[in-house]
Amino acid sequence: METLDENAAVISASKVTGTNVYNTDGDHLGEIYDVMLDKRSGNIAYAVMSFGGFLGIGERYHALPWQLSSTTRQGGYVVGLTVDQLKEAPTYAANELPAGGIAPLITA
Amino acid sequence: METLDENAAVISASKVTGTNVYNTDGDHLGEIYDVMLDKRSGNIAYAVMSFGGFLGIGERYHALPWQLSSTTRQGGYVVGLTVDQLKEAPTYAANELPAGGIAPLITA
């Protein structure tokens, strides 16, 4: 059924937020914390994934490109990112901007 | 200070949500209820404004084009929409899609 939250073409930011993120091995990496919007172009700049629990390093954030985040599986998004890659990737805390800007940090 | 929520180029969907919407006369029309994202293009499809209190017709929703929503004043967004225009404009309830699709319902 189509609702205000989602249809075939669009999805609300509030529905995206909180969605689980997995890698292609099925590991749970984190959740979508927020969606960053480009003020001028009207494009989605990137999605922000929060993680930290399983890494034991406190809550950290990781920028994910929107297009790569749009593959869904088991009720979540799937990204091509291993746990080791995530541990080594640039991350940022809640009061920081993404290190190195908003370039995609994962590859398909 | 730049934070995770906003900088000169980007703003988080969660910060946009709840922002007050005024018209050019300074009337408070409603609040941003959500931001709808185009799944394929990665564009912001439209913003959804909730209103209803002052019109006494229950909570209703109105699609606003993102670009027109981006003018800020007194901590809110300003749109070129009078209260009378809003009363007469197509609206939708929480379980409906915007009537007539997502075409901009206001003009600059």
Side-chain angles (χ1 to χ4, degrees):
Chain A
M1 196 184 79
E2 294 187 334
T3 71
L4 182 69
D5 282 344
E6 184 174 11
N7 63 40
V10 299
I11 187 168
S12 70
S14 65
K15 183 164 183 180
V16 172
T17 303
T19 301
N20 286 311
V21 180
Y22 302 90
N23 66 15
T24 52
D25 292 332
D27 299 317
H28 179 249
L29 299 179
E31 299 85 36
I32 300 294
Y33 175 79
D34 217 327
V35 180
M36 302 303 291
L37 310 171
D38 188 301
K39 294 179 182 178
R40 274 173 232 179
S41 72
N43 293 321
I44 302 162
Y46 54 97
V48 178
M49 178 178 73
S50 63
F51 64 97
F54 78 96
L55 295 175
I57 56 172
E59 191 82 312
R60 301 286 293 180
Y61 302 90
H62 188 88
L64 295 177
W66 173 257
Q67 297 296 349
L68 291 179
S69 300
S70 63
T71 306
T72 56
R73 184 171 76 180
Q74 58 194 28
Y77 296 116
V78 178
V79 296
L81 192 69
T82 68
V83 172
D84 282 344
Q85 285 174 321
L86 185 60
K87 285 180 179 175
E88 294 167 5
T91 63
Y92 53 105
N95 61 343
E96 297 172 342
L97 283 171
I102 59 171
L105 298 176
I106 63 175
T107 55
Chain B
M1 197 184 79
E2 294 187 335
T3 71
L4 183 69
D5 282 342
E6 184 173 11
N7 63 40
V10 297
I11 187 168
S12 70
S14 65
K15 183 165 184 180
V16 172
T17 303
T19 301
N20 286 311
V21 180
Y22 302 90
N23 66 15
T24 53
D25 293 332
D27 299 317
H28 179 248
L29 299 179
E31 299 86 36
I32 300 294
Y33 175 80
D34 216 328
V35 180
M36 302 303 290
L37 310 171
D38 188 300
K39 293 179 183 178
R40 275 173 229 179
S41 71
N43 294 321
I44 302 162
Y46 54 98
V48 178
M49 178 179 73
S50 63
F51 64 98
F54 78 95
L55 295 175
I57 55 173
E59 191 83 313
R60 300 287 293 179
Y61 302 91
H62 188 88
L64 295 177
W66 174 257
Q67 297 297 347
L68 290 179
S69 301
S70 64
T71 307
T72 56
R73 184 172 76 180
Q74 57 194 27
Y77 296 115
V78 178
V79 296
L81 192 69
T82 68
V83 171
D84 283 344
Q85 285 174 319
L86 185 60
K87 285 179 179 174
E88 294 168 5
T91 62
Y92 53 105
N95 60 345
E96 297 172 343
L97 283 171
I102 58 171
L105 298 176
I106 64 175
T107 53

mmCIF file of all heavy atoms in Angstrom, chain A residues 55-87:
data_model
loop_
_atom_site.group_PDB
_atom_site.id
_atom_site.type_symbol
_atom_site.label_atom_id
_atom_site.label_comp_id
_atom_site.label_asym_id
_atom_site.label_seq_id
_atom_site.Cartn_x
_atom_site.Cartn_y
_atom_site.Cartn_z
ATOM 1 N N LEU A 55 32.169 -2.166 17.429
ATOM 2 C CA LEU A 55 33.586 -1.844 17.340
ATOM 3 C C LEU A 55 34.147 -1.375 18.680
ATOM 4 O O LEU A 55 35.357 -1.292 18.850
ATOM 5 C CB LEU A 55 33.823 -0.755 16.289
ATOM 6 C CG LEU A 55 33.509 -1.145 14.846
ATOM 7 C CD1 LEU A 55 33.658 0.047 13.929
ATOM 8 C CD2 LEU A 55 34.440 -2.269 14.389
ATOM 9 N N GLY A 56 33.279 -1.057 19.614
ATOM 10 C CA GLY A 56 33.723 -0.647 20.935
ATOM 11 C C GLY A 56 34.488 0.655 20.964
ATOM 12 O O GLY A 56 35.354 0.883 21.803
ATOM 13 N N ILE A 57 34.178 1.546 20.032
ATOM 14 C CA ILE A 57 34.917 2.809 19.975
ATOM 15 C C ILE A 57 33.998 3.997 20.173
ATOM 16 O O ILE A 57 34.345 5.121 19.856
ATOM 17 C CB ILE A 57 35.649 2.972 18.628
ATOM 18 C CG1 ILE A 57 34.653 2.848 17.463
ATOM 19 C CG2 ILE A 57 36.762 1.953 18.497
ATOM 20 C CD1 ILE A 57 35.250 3.174 16.103
ATOM 21 N N GLY A 58 32.824 3.775 20.727
ATOM 22 C CA GLY A 58 31.879 4.879 20.896
ATOM 23 C C GLY A 58 31.155 5.169 19.610
ATOM 24 O O GLY A 58 31.518 4.675 18.545
ATOM 25 N N GLU A 59 30.116 5.974 19.687
ATOM 26 C CA GLU A 59 29.310 6.264 18.509
ATOM 27 C C GLU A 59 30.102 7.093 17.516
ATOM 28 O O GLU A 59 30.598 8.169 17.835
ATOM 29 C CB GLU A 59 28.044 7.034 18.934
ATOM 30 C CG GLU A 59 27.017 7.144 17.838
ATOM 31 C CD GLU A 59 26.142 5.893 17.703
ATOM 32 O OE1 GLU A 59 26.694 4.781 17.680
ATOM 33 O OE2 GLU A 59 24.904 6.046 17.634
ATOM 34 N N ARG A 60 30.235 6.565 16.312
ATOM 35 C CA ARG A 60 30.933 7.262 15.235
ATOM 36 C C ARG A 60 30.036 7.282 14.007
ATOM 37 O O ARG A 60 29.056 6.547 13.924
ATOM 38 C CB ARG A 60 32.253 6.570 14.902
ATOM 39 C CG ARG A 60 33.213 6.485 16.057
ATOM 40 C CD ARG A 60 33.863 7.803 16.390
ATOM 41 N NE ARG A 60 34.761 8.268 15.320
ATOM 42 C CZ ARG A 60 35.448 9.397 15.369
ATOM 43 N NH1 ARG A 60 35.342 10.197 16.417
ATOM 44 N NH2 ARG A 60 36.233 9.760 14.378
ATOM 45 N N TYR A 61 30.410 8.102 13.044
ATOM 46 C CA TYR A 61 29.585 8.294 11.859
ATOM 47 C C TYR A 61 30.411 8.109 10.599
ATOM 48 O O TYR A 61 31.601 8.405 10.574
ATOM 49 C CB TYR A 61 28.938 9.681 11.886
ATOM 50 C CG TYR A 61 28.117 9.879 13.117
ATOM 51 C CD1 TYR A 61 28.693 10.411 14.270
ATOM 52 C CD2 TYR A 61 26.792 9.481 13.163
ATOM 53 C CE1 TYR A 61 27.954 10.553 15.425
ATOM 54 C CE2 TYR A 61 26.049 9.617 14.313
ATOM 55 C CZ TYR A 61 26.636 10.152 15.433
ATOM 56 O OH TYR A 61 25.902 10.282 16.584
ATOM 57 N N HIS A 62 29.758 7.643 9.573
ATOM 58 C CA HIS A 62 30.423 7.311 8.319
ATOM 59 C C HIS A 62 29.515 7.774 7.182
ATOM 60 O O HIS A 62 28.323 7.481 7.177
ATOM 61 C CB HIS A 62 30.601 5.789 8.280
ATOM 62 C CG HIS A 62 31.436 5.292 7.145
ATOM 63 N ND1 HIS A 62 32.806 5.170 7.223
ATOM 64 C CD2 HIS A 62 31.100 4.874 5.914
ATOM 65 C CE1 HIS A 62 33.266 4.693 6.085
ATOM 66 N NE2 HIS A 62 32.259 4.513 5.265
ATOM 67 N N ALA A 63 30.083 8.503 6.234
ATOM 68 C CA ALA A 63 29.286 8.995 5.110
ATOM 69 C C ALA A 63 29.125 7.902 4.060
ATOM 70 O O ALA A 63 30.098 7.248 3.681
ATOM 71 C CB ALA A 63 29.954 10.221 4.499
ATOM 72 N N LEU A 64 27.904 7.693 3.614
ATOM 73 C CA LEU A 64 27.613 6.710 2.571
ATOM 74 C C LEU A 64 26.958 7.416 1.394
ATOM 75 O O LEU A 64 26.022 8.185 1.586
ATOM 76 C CB LEU A 64 26.640 5.645 3.077
ATOM 77 C CG LEU A 64 27.101 4.718 4.194
ATOM 78 C CD1 LEU A 64 25.949 3.794 4.579
ATOM 79 C CD2 LEU A 64 28.305 3.911 3.768
ATOM 80 N N PRO A 65 27.429 7.145 0.176
ATOM 81 C CA PRO A 65 26.758 7.733 -0.981
ATOM 82 C C PRO A 65 25.346 7.181 -1.109
ATOM 83 O O PRO A 65 25.101 6.005 -0.847
ATOM 84 C CB PRO A 65 27.628 7.305 -2.159
ATOM 85 C CG PRO A 65 28.393 6.129 -1.672
ATOM 86 C CD PRO A 65 28.572 6.294 -0.196
ATOM 87 N N TRP A 66 24.425 8.056 -1.482
ATOM 88 C CA TRP A 66 23.015 7.672 -1.542
ATOM 89 C C TRP A 66 22.782 6.517 -2.493
ATOM 90 O O TRP A 66 22.066 5.573 -2.181
ATOM 91 C CB TRP A 66 22.163 8.875 -1.940
ATOM 92 C CG TRP A 66 20.729 8.527 -2.176
ATOM 93 C CD1 TRP A 66 20.102 8.380 -3.374
ATOM 94 C CD2 TRP A 66 19.754 8.254 -1.177
ATOM 95 N NE1 TRP A 66 18.798 8.037 -3.177
ATOM 96 C CE2 TRP A 66 18.554 7.956 -1.840
ATOM 97 C CE3 TRP A 66 19.783 8.243 0.222
ATOM 98 C CZ2 TRP A 66 17.382 7.647 -1.159
ATOM 99 C CZ3 TRP A 66 18.618 7.932 0.896
ATOM 100 C CH2 TRP A 66 17.442 7.637 0.208
ATOM 101 N N GLN A 67 23.349 6.573 -3.679
ATOM 102 C CA GLN A 67 23.049 5.547 -4.681
ATOM 103 C C GLN A 67 23.453 4.163 -4.203
ATOM 104 O O GLN A 67 22.755 3.184 -4.414
ATOM 105 C CB GLN A 67 23.745 5.873 -6.005
ATOM 106 C CG GLN A 67 23.291 7.175 -6.652
ATOM 107 C CD GLN A 67 21.822 7.180 -7.063
ATOM 108 O OE1 GLN A 67 21.175 6.155 -7.054
ATOM 109 N NE2 GLN A 67 21.295 8.339 -7.376
ATOM 110 N N LEU A 68 24.591 4.073 -3.541
ATOM 111 C CA LEU A 68 25.032 2.774 -3.057
ATOM 112 C C LEU A 68 24.218 2.315 -1.861
ATOM 113 O O LEU A 68 24.182 1.139 -1.540
ATOM 114 C CB LEU A 68 26.514 2.833 -2.678
ATOM 115 C CG LEU A 68 27.471 2.995 -3.859
ATOM 116 C CD1 LEU A 68 28.905 3.063 -3.377
ATOM 117 C CD2 LEU A 68 27.308 1.845 -4.846
ATOM 118 N N SER A 69 23.582 3.269 -1.207
ATOM 119 C CA SER A 69 22.776 2.911 -0.044
ATOM 120 C C SER A 69 21.397 2.405 -0.437
ATOM 121 O O SER A 69 20.634 1.995 0.422
ATOM 122 C CB SER A 69 22.605 4.132 0.870
ATOM 123 O OG SER A 69 23.850 4.590 1.311
ATOM 124 N N SER A 70 21.086 2.450 -1.728
ATOM 125 C CA SER A 70 19.698 2.219 -2.101
ATOM 126 C C SER A 70 19.389 0.749 -2.385
ATOM 127 O O SER A 70 18.275 0.407 -2.716
ATOM 128 C CB SER A 70 19.346 3.062 -3.322
ATOM 129 O OG SER A 70 20.133 2.675 -4.413
ATOM 130 N N THR A 71 20.385 -0.107 -2.293
ATOM 131 C CA THR A 71 20.119 -1.531 -2.434
ATOM 132 C C THR A 71 19.588 -2.068 -1.110
ATOM 133 O O THR A 71 20.195 -1.855 -0.067
ATOM 134 C CB THR A 71 21.408 -2.287 -2.806
ATOM 135 O OG1 THR A 71 21.983 -1.696 -3.952
ATOM 136 C CG2 THR A 71 21.103 -3.749 -3.088
ATOM 137 N N THR A 72 18.448 -2.730 -1.175
ATOM 138 C CA THR A 72 17.852 -3.189 0.077
ATOM 139 C C THR A 72 17.902 -4.709 0.175
ATOM 140 O O THR A 72 17.836 -5.422 -0.805
ATOM 141 C CB THR A 72 16.389 -2.736 0.186
ATOM 142 O OG1 THR A 72 15.678 -3.200 -0.964
ATOM 143 C CG2 THR A 72 16.298 -1.231 0.261
ATOM 144 N N ARG A 73 18.051 -5.194 1.377
ATOM 145 C CA ARG A 73 17.970 -6.618 1.662
ATOM 146 C C ARG A 73 17.514 -6.779 3.098
ATOM 147 O O ARG A 73 17.895 -5.996 3.950
ATOM 148 C CB ARG A 73 19.336 -7.288 1.471
ATOM 149 C CG ARG A 73 19.267 -8.799 1.663
ATOM 150 C CD ARG A 73 20.572 -9.462 1.265
ATOM 151 N NE ARG A 73 21.605 -9.272 2.268
ATOM 152 C CZ ARG A 73 22.847 -9.759 2.151
ATOM 153 N NH1 ARG A 73 23.194 -10.419 1.074
ATOM 154 N NH2 ARG A 73 23.733 -9.566 3.102
ATOM 155 N N GLN A 74 16.733 -7.765 3.357
ATOM 156 C CA GLN A 74 16.246 -8.082 4.698
ATOM 157 C C GLN A 74 15.854 -6.818 5.478
ATOM 158 O O GLN A 74 16.185 -6.659 6.646
ATOM 159 C CB GLN A 74 17.271 -8.917 5.477
ATOM 160 C CG GLN A 74 18.640 -8.284 5.654
ATOM 161 C CD GLN A 74 19.692 -9.290 6.118
ATOM 162 O OE1 GLN A 74 19.589 -10.480 5.845
ATOM 163 N NE2 GLN A 74 20.694 -8.811 6.831
ATOM 164 N N GLY A 75 15.162 -5.925 4.788
ATOM 165 C CA GLY A 75 14.673 -4.730 5.457
ATOM 166 C C GLY A 75 15.726 -3.703 5.758
ATOM 167 O O GLY A 75 15.521 -2.812 6.579
ATOM 168 N N GLY A 76 16.872 -3.791 5.105
ATOM 169 C CA GLY A 76 17.918 -2.802 5.351
ATOM 170 C C GLY A 76 18.662 -2.489 4.070
ATOM 171 O O GLY A 76 18.336 -3.004 2.996
ATOM 172 N N TYR A 77 19.647 -1.614 4.179
ATOM 173 C CA TYR A 77 20.489 -1.277 3.041
ATOM 174 C C TYR A 77 21.734 -2.156 3.068
ATOM 175 O O TYR A 77 22.203 -2.562 4.122
ATOM 176 C CB TYR A 77 20.887 0.199 3.092
ATOM 177 C CG TYR A 77 19.705 1.128 2.966
ATOM 178 C CD1 TYR A 77 19.349 1.966 4.000
ATOM 179 C CD2 TYR A 77 18.947 1.144 1.810
ATOM 180 C CE1 TYR A 77 18.254 2.810 3.888
ATOM 181 C CE2 TYR A 77 17.855 1.985 1.688
ATOM 182 C CZ TYR A 77 17.515 2.813 2.733
ATOM 183 O OH TYR A 77 16.434 3.638 2.620
ATOM 184 N N VAL A 78 22.249 -2.413 1.884
ATOM 185 C CA VAL A 78 23.445 -3.234 1.760
ATOM 186 C C VAL A 78 24.535 -2.419 1.077
ATOM 187 O O VAL A 78 24.301 -1.821 0.035
ATOM 188 C CB VAL A 78 23.160 -4.512 0.941
ATOM 189 C CG1 VAL A 78 24.439 -5.335 0.767
ATOM 190 C CG2 VAL A 78 22.080 -5.340 1.613
ATOM 191 N N VAL A 79 25.695 -2.365 1.673
ATOM 192 C CA VAL A 79 26.819 -1.639 1.085
ATOM 193 C C VAL A 79 28.010 -2.576 0.959
ATOM 194 O O VAL A 79 28.146 -3.541 1.711
ATOM 195 C CB VAL A 79 27.216 -0.403 1.934
ATOM 196 C CG1 VAL A 79 26.081 0.597 1.959
ATOM 197 C CG2 VAL A 79 27.615 -0.812 3.338
ATOM 198 N N GLY A 80 28.869 -2.271 0.008
ATOM 199 C CA GLY A 80 30.040 -3.109 -0.241
ATOM 200 C C GLY A 80 31.195 -2.712 0.642
ATOM 201 O O GLY A 80 32.164 -2.135 0.174
ATOM 202 N N LEU A 81 31.100 -3.030 1.903
ATOM 203 C CA LEU A 81 32.057 -2.538 2.898
ATOM 204 C C LEU A 81 32.233 -3.644 3.928
ATOM 205 O O LEU A 81 31.271 -4.053 4.577
ATOM 206 C CB LEU A 81 31.461 -1.294 3.555
ATOM 207 C CG LEU A 81 32.318 -0.416 4.434
ATOM 208 C CD1 LEU A 81 33.367 0.315 3.601
ATOM 209 C CD2 LEU A 81 31.439 0.604 5.152
ATOM 210 N N THR A 82 33.447 -4.120 4.070
ATOM 211 C CA THR A 82 33.688 -5.138 5.086
ATOM 212 C C THR A 82 33.865 -4.470 6.448
ATOM 213 O O THR A 82 34.097 -3.253 6.546
ATOM 214 C CB THR A 82 34.951 -5.959 4.770
ATOM 215 O OG1 THR A 82 36.093 -5.105 4.911
ATOM 216 C CG2 THR A 82 34.897 -6.524 3.359
ATOM 217 N N VAL A 83 33.791 -5.279 7.491
ATOM 218 C CA VAL A 83 34.007 -4.747 8.839
ATOM 219 C C VAL A 83 35.414 -4.173 8.951
ATOM 220 O O VAL A 83 35.619 -3.102 9.537
ATOM 221 C CB VAL A 83 33.766 -5.853 9.891
ATOM 222 C CG1 VAL A 83 34.188 -5.372 11.274
ATOM 223 C CG2 VAL A 83 32.294 -6.255 9.903
ATOM 224 N N ASP A 84 36.393 -4.842 8.357
ATOM 225 C CA ASP A 84 37.765 -4.335 8.417
ATOM 226 C C ASP A 84 37.898 -2.998 7.688
ATOM 227 O O ASP A 84 38.567 -2.082 8.168
ATOM 228 C CB ASP A 84 38.736 -5.356 7.802
ATOM 229 C CG ASP A 84 39.022 -6.507 8.767
ATOM 230 O OD1 ASP A 84 38.726 -6.350 9.961
ATOM 231 O OD2 ASP A 84 39.524 -7.547 8.312
ATOM 232 N N GLN A 85 37.244 -2.892 6.525
ATOM 233 C CA GLN A 85 37.283 -1.613 5.803
ATOM 234 C C GLN A 85 36.647 -0.502 6.633
ATOM 235 O O GLN A 85 37.123 0.627 6.650
ATOM 236 C CB GLN A 85 36.563 -1.745 4.462
ATOM 237 C CG GLN A 85 37.348 -2.498 3.395
ATOM 238 C CD GLN A 85 36.532 -2.736 2.137
ATOM 239 O OE1 GLN A 85 35.341 -3.021 2.207
ATOM 240 N NE2 GLN A 85 37.172 -2.623 0.982
ATOM 241 N N LEU A 86 35.573 -0.852 7.305
ATOM 242 C CA LEU A 86 34.888 0.141 8.122
ATOM 243 C C LEU A 86 35.776 0.597 9.274
ATOM 244 O O LEU A 86 35.848 1.783 9.592
ATOM 245 C CB LEU A 86 33.571 -0.442 8.653
ATOM 246 C CG LEU A 86 32.680 0.500 9.433
ATOM 247 C CD1 LEU A 86 32.275 1.689 8.582
ATOM 248 C CD2 LEU A 86 31.441 -0.233 9.934
ATOM 249 N N LYS A 87 36.494 -0.347 9.871
ATOM 250 C CA LYS A 87 37.386 0.004 10.980
ATOM 251 C C LYS A 87 38.488 0.951 10.525
ATOM 252 O O LYS A 87 38.939 1.814 11.272
ATOM 253 C CB LYS A 87 38.017 -1.260 11.571
ATOM 254 C CG LYS A 87 37.059 -2.088 12.424
ATOM 255 C CD LYS A 87 37.779 -3.325 12.960
ATOM 256 C CE LYS A 87 36.844 -4.169 13.834
ATOM 257 N NZ LYS A 87 37.489 -5.433 14.262
#
